[in-house]
Amino acid sequence: MEQGTLCPVARAQDIVGDRWTVLVLRELFLGTRRFEEIQAHTQATPQMLATRLKKLEADGMVERRPYNDKPLRHEYHLTDMGQAFYPVFLALRAWGEAWCKSEEEEVAIHYTHIPCGEDPGLGPSCQVCGAEMRREDLSARLSGSFVAERHARLHAFKSG
């Protein structure tokens, strides 16, 4: 990690500052663990994805865990540092829902705030009970349109 500056924003940008890296993190937050599935859902080239995953691993955000011995295959999991990016992910989601979509489009990822059982809204705190939105307290459900988009990408990827 480059530390040519004391600015924490610049340092964070060195780790997560490109589209592909943020999309990889989105997939990990959604529970996607395997290289090919991450590639299909992000539409990154194998080289791009391998580079981002290696950098995230070197920076301490991701760890590889073997799931098959012969041939050796790995899954990717968020470390504590990677998990700590979740509020940033939620902020990007909220901003994207508010500013990057038409009013006719449905919300792509619906959350239920487990402690109160309600839709927490888009803020950093639950709009119903006021508690901070933490990953372990949220249950995600993808909209039908987003599920269809992801299924089509995965199908297209597997079809070549």
Side-chain angles (χ1 to χ4, degrees):
M1 177 173 9
E2 175 65 36
Q3 295 196 359
T5 179
L6 295 175
C7 176
V9 174
R11 287 182 177 183
Q13 188 73 11
D14 283 342
I15 297 172
V16 296
D18 73 46
R19 175 183 197 273
W20 301 108
T21 299
V22 173
L23 291 177
V24 168
L25 291 168
R26 176 199 68 194
E27 288 308 310
L28 294 171
F29 284 127
L30 290 174
T32 309
R33 302 276 179 255
R34 297 193 177 168
F35 187 93
E36 285 186 350
E37 291 173 343
I38 296 170
Q39 183 185 358
H41 291 304
T42 61
Q43 298 185 313
T45 65
Q47 298 82 6
M48 246 191 278
L49 180 55
T51 299
R52 283 358 178 251
L53 286 167
K54 285 178 185 173
K55 184 170 185 331
L56 285 168
E57 186 177 14
D59 288 335
M61 299 266 299
V62 170
E63 65 182 15
R64 289 184 306 150
R65 297 180 191 164
Y67 70 89
N68 194 33
D69 289 331
K70 294 187 183 194
L72 181 60
R73 299 270 190 244
H74 292 93
E75 290 183 328
Y76 297 88
H77 294 264
L78 293 162
T79 62
D80 289 343
M81 181 183 181
Q83 294 282 354
F85 187 76
Y86 198 64
V88 179
F89 171 77
L90 287 177
L92 285 169
R93 171 188 171 260
W95 187 83
E97 289 288 353
W99 294 100
C100 302
K101 295 173 68 172
S102 71
E103 290 184 23
E104 294 80 35
E105 291 178 286
E106 64 182 320
V107 172
I109 304 171
H110 299 271
Y111 286 102
T112 299
H113 188 228
I114 296 167
C116 71
E118 300 292 332
D119 177 350
L122 296 174
S125 300
C126 178
Q127 67 183 357
V128 176
C129 70
E132 176 188 354
M133 292 202 322
R134 299 179 335 180
R135 184 165 187 248
E136 60 270 17
D137 293 337
L138 295 172
S139 173
R141 181 180 50 83
L142 305 183
S143 70
S145 303
F146 196 32
V147 168
E149 174 187 315
R150 291 171 63 79
H151 178 73
R153 283 187 180 165
L154 191 56
H155 178 73
F157 179 79
K158 289 182 176 183
S159 298

